[in-house]
Amino acid sequence: MLRVAAAARGVRRAASLLHRFQSTLVIAEHNNETLTPITLNAVTAAKQLGGEVSCLVAGTSCDKVAQEVSKVPGVAKVLVAQHDAYKGFLAEELTPLVLETQKQFKYTHICAGASAFGKNLIPRVAAKLDVAPVSDIIEIKSPNTFVRTIYAGNVLCTVQCDEAIKVFSVRGTSFEAAPTSGGSASVEKVTPPPPVGVSEWIEQKLSKSDRPELTSARVVVSGGRGLKSGENFKLLYDLADQLNAAVGASRAAVDAGFVPNDMQVGQTGKIVAPELYIAVGISGAIQHLAGMKDSKTIVAINKDPEAPIFQVADYGLVADLFQAVPEMTELLKKK
Amino acid sequence: MAALRVLVGVKRVIDFAVKVRVLPGGQGVQTEGVKHSMNPFCEIALEEAVRLRERGGAAEVIAAAVGTSKCQETLRTALAMGADRAVLAEVAAGAEVGPREVAAVLAALARKHSADLVLLGKQAIDDDCNQTGQMVAALLDWPQGTFASQLELEAGGGAVRVQREVDGGLETLRLRLPAVVTADLRLNEPRYATLPNIMKAKKKPLEVVAASELGGAPNPRLKILGVAEPPGRQAGVRVEDVPALVAQLRQSGCV
């Protein structure tokens, strides 16, 4: 009995010792003006590892974002690298900076949110460190054991990573966002390595919208092929306005040109997990379900009673969307 | 304009329409007797390479796969779609190869065959990693154009312009060649292999080499401890009409 207790103490001590030497670098995503929310989810994941958390802010203009990050509780240090070479946040330019930072501070973990930014950068960093990265983790079991989904979210895979440096990306919807006030991290400048110059950012065309951002919205209204045209998406925008919801789409709706592709929800689009997901005129293919089946409540409106979406829906309504959606919008207006 | 040599990585995966099953014991998913096909993103990458050649931008398209001998079938499909020749970097059945090993092999092949452009899909629909292209680019120290929805060769041939699908919309990059580009769904619509082309593909060269000779040694530092089915959702209810739906949502506090 005593011996068991002593052994347990020993394990605990070893574990806390291990924790003390654990340190994580979170690569912050931002647009030179504000921090991208997924970074806050990544910070929460980093804190679960138990060690010290640092954040790297690189860009052409970093002061505001660095201030923002320094107030996030749990972040001990903010490293800032400002240089014109970071225009467009090119992986070719950011990778040497991350490597330089790694050389100096010797982190045990390096991570970022699994957004287009993180997915582009993290594997390049890992390859340069000669380690196998882990993508889009949904759970941290221990500092070297992670859970992620494979086969379009149909299988959970537990991975043990015995690399000296664990390099991974974090699924934003699987970790709470860290608070944005109460922290007081130190801010330190990092000298940027010389520009690589093999790639160049030319331009961007961003979809403008007054609605909440898709991946972090509390309510999402999504349309599929059943909407029949881009004009008909107005029905969904009206409904979304009543619910302060973001609007998403299935691949079918994007391929048919109804809406731009950055609205796509699914295995190859965005992964969302809102409080309420309303799927309108969406059949519910495996690839779409991969992007939304962790939503808290799912509503399906579809005229085909056999549509697979009804198998995951908490509330299903078999009806013509062209009548049901306007009716719902009107009812919600009344309160 | 100097015509490029393009290397396209293709992967054999369980067909996208198959509902995968976890094996009892949770050591993996059932792959025996299950329909396999070319990963859809790889088809798009290959189609883009073939179109580049048809436009005169590419001199040769080489399809490459890393995997067991069964991948020969995937490479034959690639040849039927228009690749000029194929290379299989073979591994023993049951060997664990991940993006890190595949990237090492593709980087070695890109060097060996003097490729100017490596085209890959943005992710494989089995492991959903979305890593290989970025890792190939890193190993070669080449620029990367990930999640491409448009690819244009610049006049003069020294660079490509890549339109990328990013979270808020689209962005355009200019990459100096040689470069690595990964295809998003919107890049193109892949062609079907016609019967005459399938017959012709049987005569095209398909070289088999050992992956281990190209640096594709398995990485024991990443272990899959087990796989499991995700928790199922509780059966929902059907509501009669819109007022009933709104009432339910109000009652449960959703709206």
Side-chain angles (χ1 to χ4, degrees), chain A residues 148-196:
Chain A
R148 57 183 302 269
T149 68
I150 54 176
Y151 292 98
N154 287 298
V155 181
L156 301 178
C157 178
T158 306
V159 197
Q160 182 183 319
C161 177
D162 292 327
E163 300 284 8
I165 309 159
K166 283 89 179 158
V167 181
F168 60 98
S169 62
V170 176
R171 180 169 298 182
T173 56
S174 299
F175 297 86
E176 292 286 319
T180 50
S181 62
S184 56
S186 63
V187 179
E188 206 175 292
K189 281 211 157 61
V190 186
T191 313
V196 179

Coordinates of all heavy atoms in Angstrom, one line a residue, chain A residues 148-196:
Chain A
R148 N -7.0 12.9 -33.2 CA -7.4 13.6 -34.4 C -8.4 12.8 -35.2 O -8.5 11.6 -34.9 CB -6.2 14.0 -35.2 CG -5.3 12.8 -35.7 CD -4.1 13.3 -36.5 NE -4.5 14.1 -37.6 CZ -4.8 13.6 -38.8 NH1 -4.5 12.4 -39.1 NH2 -5.2 14.4 -39.8
T149 N -9.1 13.4 -36.1 CA -10.0 12.6 -36.9 C -9.4 12.3 -38.2 O -8.6 13.0 -38.8 CB -11.4 13.4 -37.1 OG1 -11.1 14.5 -37.9 CG2 -12.0 13.9 -35.8
I150 N -9.8 11.1 -38.7 CA -9.4 10.7 -40.1 C -10.7 10.3 -40.9 O -11.8 10.2 -40.3 CB -8.4 9.6 -40.1 CG1 -8.8 8.4 -39.2 CG2 -7.1 10.1 -39.5 CD1 -7.9 7.2 -39.2
Y151 N -10.6 10.0 -42.1 CA -11.7 9.6 -43.0 C -12.9 10.6 -42.8 O -14.0 10.1 -42.4 CB -12.1 8.2 -42.7 CG -11.1 7.2 -43.1 CD1 -10.1 6.6 -42.2 CD2 -11.0 6.8 -44.5 CE1 -9.2 5.7 -42.6 CE2 -10.0 5.9 -44.9 CZ -9.1 5.3 -44.0 OH -8.2 4.4 -44.4
A152 N -12.7 11.8 -43.0 CA -13.7 12.8 -43.0 C -14.5 12.8 -41.7 O -15.7 12.9 -41.7 CB -14.7 12.6 -44.2
G153 N -13.8 12.7 -40.6 CA -14.4 12.7 -39.3 C -15.2 11.5 -38.9 O -15.8 11.4 -37.8
N154 N -15.0 10.4 -39.6 CA -15.7 9.2 -39.3 C -15.0 8.3 -38.4 O -15.5 7.2 -37.9 CB -16.1 8.4 -40.6 CG -17.3 9.1 -41.3 OD1 -18.3 9.2 -40.8 ND2 -17.0 9.6 -42.5
V155 N -13.7 8.6 -38.2 CA -12.9 7.7 -37.3 C -12.0 8.7 -36.4 O -11.5 9.7 -36.9 CB -11.9 6.8 -38.1 CG1 -11.1 6.0 -37.2 CG2 -12.7 6.0 -39.1
L156 N -11.9 8.3 -35.1 CA -11.0 9.1 -34.2 C -9.7 8.3 -34.1 O -9.7 7.1 -34.0 CB -11.6 9.2 -32.8 CG -13.0 9.9 -32.7 CD1 -13.4 9.8 -31.2 CD2 -12.9 11.3 -33.2
C157 N -8.6 9.0 -34.2 CA -7.3 8.3 -34.2 C -6.5 8.9 -33.1 O -6.3 10.1 -33.0 CB -6.7 8.6 -35.6 SG -5.1 7.8 -35.8
T158 N -6.0 8.0 -32.2 CA -5.1 8.5 -31.2 C -3.7 8.2 -31.6 O -3.3 7.1 -31.9 CB -5.4 7.7 -29.9 OG1 -6.8 7.8 -29.6 CG2 -4.6 8.2 -28.7
V159 N -2.9 9.3 -31.5 CA -1.5 9.2 -32.0 C -0.5 9.5 -30.9 O -0.7 10.5 -30.2 CB -1.2 10.3 -33.1 CG1 0.0 10.0 -33.9 CG2 -2.4 10.4 -34.1
Q160 N 0.5 8.7 -30.8 CA 1.6 9.0 -29.9 C 2.8 9.6 -30.7 O 3.2 8.9 -31.6 CB 2.0 7.8 -29.1 CG 3.1 8.0 -28.1 CD 3.5 6.8 -27.4 OE1 2.7 5.9 -27.0 NE2 4.8 6.6 -27.2
C161 N 3.2 10.8 -30.3 CA 4.3 11.4 -31.0 C 5.5 11.4 -30.2 O 5.6 12.1 -29.1 CB 3.8 12.9 -31.3 SG 5.1 13.8 -32.2
D162 N 6.5 10.7 -30.6 CA 7.7 10.6 -29.8 C 8.9 11.5 -30.4 O 10.0 11.2 -30.1 CB 8.2 9.1 -29.7 CG 7.3 8.3 -28.8 OD1 6.7 8.9 -27.9 OD2 7.1 7.1 -29.1
E163 N 8.5 12.4 -31.2 CA 9.4 13.3 -31.8 C 10.0 14.2 -30.7 O 9.3 14.5 -29.7 CB 8.8 14.2 -32.9 CG 8.2 13.5 -34.0 CD 9.2 13.0 -35.0 OE1 10.4 13.0 -34.7 OE2 8.8 12.5 -36.1
A164 N 11.2 14.7 -30.8 CA 11.8 15.5 -29.8 C 11.0 16.9 -29.7 O 10.9 17.4 -28.7 CB 13.3 15.8 -30.2
I165 N 10.5 17.3 -30.9 CA 9.7 18.5 -30.9 C 8.4 18.1 -31.5 O 8.3 17.6 -32.6 CB 10.4 19.6 -31.8 CG1 11.8 19.9 -31.3 CG2 9.6 20.9 -31.7 CD1 12.7 20.5 -32.4
K166 N 7.3 18.4 -30.8 CA 6.0 18.1 -31.3 C 5.4 19.3 -32.0 O 5.3 20.3 -31.4 CB 5.0 17.7 -30.1 CG 5.2 16.3 -29.6 CD 6.2 16.3 -28.5 CE 6.4 14.9 -27.9 NZ 7.7 14.8 -27.2
V167 N 5.2 19.1 -33.3 CA 4.7 20.2 -34.1 C 3.3 19.8 -34.6 O 3.1 18.7 -35.2 CB 5.6 20.3 -35.4 CG1 5.1 21.5 -36.2 CG2 7.0 20.6 -34.9
F168 N 2.3 20.6 -34.3 CA 0.9 20.2 -34.5 C 0.0 21.5 -34.8 O 0.4 22.6 -34.5 CB 0.3 19.4 -33.4 CG 0.3 20.1 -32.1 CD1 -0.8 20.7 -31.6 CD2 1.5 20.1 -31.3 CE1 -0.9 21.3 -30.3 CE2 1.4 20.7 -30.0 CZ 0.3 21.3 -29.6
S169 N -1.1 21.2 -35.4 CA -2.1 22.2 -35.6 C -3.4 21.8 -34.8 O -3.6 20.6 -34.6 CB -2.4 22.4 -37.1 OG -3.0 21.3 -37.7
V170 N -4.1 22.8 -34.4 CA -5.2 22.6 -33.4 C -6.6 23.0 -34.1 O -6.7 24.0 -34.7 CB -5.0 23.6 -32.3 CG1 -6.2 23.5 -31.3 CG2 -3.7 23.3 -31.6
R171 N -7.5 22.0 -34.0 CA -8.9 22.3 -34.5 C -9.5 23.3 -33.5 O -9.7 23.1 -32.4 CB -9.7 21.1 -34.6 CG -11.1 21.4 -35.1 CD -11.9 20.2 -35.5 NE -11.3 19.4 -36.5 CZ -11.8 18.3 -37.1 NH1 -12.9 17.8 -36.6 NH2 -11.1 17.7 -38.0
G172 N -9.8 24.5 -34.1 CA -10.3 25.6 -33.2 C -11.6 25.3 -32.5 O -11.8 25.6 -31.3
T173 N -12.5 24.5 -33.1 CA -13.8 24.3 -32.5 C -13.7 23.2 -31.4 O -14.7 23.0 -30.7 CB -14.8 23.8 -33.6 OG1 -14.3 22.6 -34.2 CG2 -15.1 24.8 -34.6
S174 N -12.6 22.6 -31.2 CA -12.4 21.6 -30.2 C -11.9 22.1 -28.9 O -11.8 21.4 -27.9 CB -11.6 20.4 -30.7 OG -12.2 19.8 -31.8
F175 N -11.4 23.3 -28.9 CA -10.9 23.9 -27.7 C -11.5 25.3 -27.5 O -11.7 26.1 -28.4 CB -9.3 24.1 -27.8 CG -8.6 22.8 -27.9 CD1 -8.4 22.2 -29.2 CD2 -8.1 22.1 -26.8 CE1 -7.8 21.0 -29.3 CE2 -7.4 20.9 -26.9 CZ -7.3 20.3 -28.2
E176 N -11.9 25.6 -26.2 CA -12.4 26.9 -25.9 C -11.4 28.0 -26.3 O -10.2 27.8 -26.2 CB -12.7 27.0 -24.4 CG -13.8 26.1 -23.8 CD -15.1 26.6 -24.2 OE1 -15.3 27.8 -24.1 OE2 -16.0 25.8 -24.6
A177 N -12.0 29.2 -26.6 CA -11.1 30.3 -26.8 C -10.5 30.8 -25.5 O -11.3 30.9 -24.5 CB -11.8 31.5 -27.5
A178 N -9.3 31.1 -25.4 CA -8.7 31.7 -24.2 C -9.2 33.1 -24.0 O -9.6 33.8 -25.0 CB -7.2 31.8 -24.3
P179 N -9.4 33.6 -22.7 CA -9.9 34.9 -22.5 C -8.9 36.0 -23.1 O -7.7 35.7 -23.3 CB -9.9 35.1 -21.0 CG -9.7 33.7 -20.4 CD -9.1 32.9 -21.5
T180 N -9.4 37.2 -23.3 CA -8.6 38.2 -24.0 C -8.1 39.3 -23.0 O -7.6 40.3 -23.5 CB -9.3 38.8 -25.2 OG1 -10.6 39.2 -24.7 CG2 -9.5 37.9 -26.3
S181 N -8.4 39.1 -21.7 CA -7.9 40.1 -20.8 C -7.5 39.4 -19.5 O -7.9 38.3 -19.2 CB -9.0 41.1 -20.5 OG -10.1 40.5 -19.9
G182 N -6.6 40.1 -18.8 CA -6.2 39.5 -17.5 C -4.8 39.0 -17.5 O -4.1 38.8 -16.5
G183 N -4.2 38.9 -18.7 CA -2.8 38.4 -18.8 C -1.9 39.6 -18.8 O -2.2 40.7 -19.1
S184 N -0.6 39.3 -18.6 CA 0.4 40.3 -18.7 C 1.7 39.7 -19.1 O 2.7 39.6 -18.4 CB 0.6 41.1 -17.4 OG 0.9 40.1 -16.4
A185 N 1.8 39.3 -20.4 CA 3.0 38.7 -20.9 C 4.0 39.7 -21.2 O 3.7 40.9 -21.5 CB 2.6 37.9 -22.2
S186 N 5.3 39.3 -21.1 CA 6.4 40.2 -21.5 C 6.4 40.2 -23.1 O 6.1 39.2 -23.7 CB 7.7 39.8 -20.9 OG 8.0 38.5 -21.5
V187 N 6.8 41.3 -23.6 CA 6.9 41.4 -25.1 C 8.4 41.6 -25.4 O 9.1 42.5 -24.9 CB 6.1 42.6 -25.6 CG1 6.2 42.7 -27.1 CG2 4.6 42.4 -25.2
E188 N 8.9 40.8 -26.3 CA 10.3 40.8 -26.7 C 10.5 40.8 -28.2 O 9.7 40.1 -28.9 CB 10.9 39.4 -26.1 CG 12.3 39.4 -25.8 CD 12.7 38.1 -25.2 OE1 12.2 37.8 -24.0 OE2 13.4 37.3 -25.8
K189 N 11.4 41.5 -28.7 CA 11.6 41.6 -30.1 C 12.5 40.5 -30.6 O 13.5 40.1 -29.9 CB 12.2 42.9 -30.5 CG 11.2 44.0 -30.5 CD 11.6 45.1 -31.6 CE 10.4 45.9 -32.0 NZ 9.8 46.7 -31.0
V190 N 12.3 39.9 -31.8 CA 13.1 38.9 -32.3 C 13.7 39.5 -33.6 O 13.0 40.1 -34.4 CB 12.3 37.6 -32.7 CG1 13.2 36.5 -33.2 CG2 11.5 37.2 -31.5
T191 N 15.0 39.2 -33.9 CA 15.6 39.7 -35.1 C 15.2 38.8 -36.3 O 15.5 37.6 -36.2 CB 17.1 39.8 -35.0 OG1 17.4 40.4 -33.7 CG2 17.7 40.6 -36.1
P192 N 14.5 39.3 -37.3 CA 14.1 38.5 -38.4 C 15.3 38.0 -39.2 O 16.2 38.8 -39.4 CB 13.2 39.4 -39.2 CG 12.9 40.6 -38.4 CD 14.0 40.7 -37.4
P193 N 15.4 36.7 -39.6 CA 16.4 36.3 -40.4 C 16.3 36.9 -41.8 O 15.3 37.5 -42.1 CB 16.2 34.8 -40.5 CG 15.0 34.4 -39.8 CD 14.4 35.7 -39.2
P194 N 17.4 36.9 -42.6 CA 17.3 37.6 -43.9 C 16.2 37.0 -44.8 O 15.9 35.8 -44.8 CB 18.7 37.3 -44.6 CG 19.4 36.3 -43.7 CD 18.7 36.3 -42.4
P195 N 15.5 37.8 -45.6 CA 14.4 37.4 -46.5 C 14.9 36.3 -47.5 O 16.1 36.3 -47.9 CB 14.0 38.6 -47.3 CG 14.5 39.7 -46.4 CD 15.7 39.3 -45.7
V196 N 14.0 35.3 -47.8 CA 14.3 34.2 -48.7 C 14.1 34.6 -50.1 O 14.9 34.3 -51.0 CB 13.5 33.0 -48.3 CG1 13.8 31.8 -49.2 CG2 13.7 32.6 -46.9

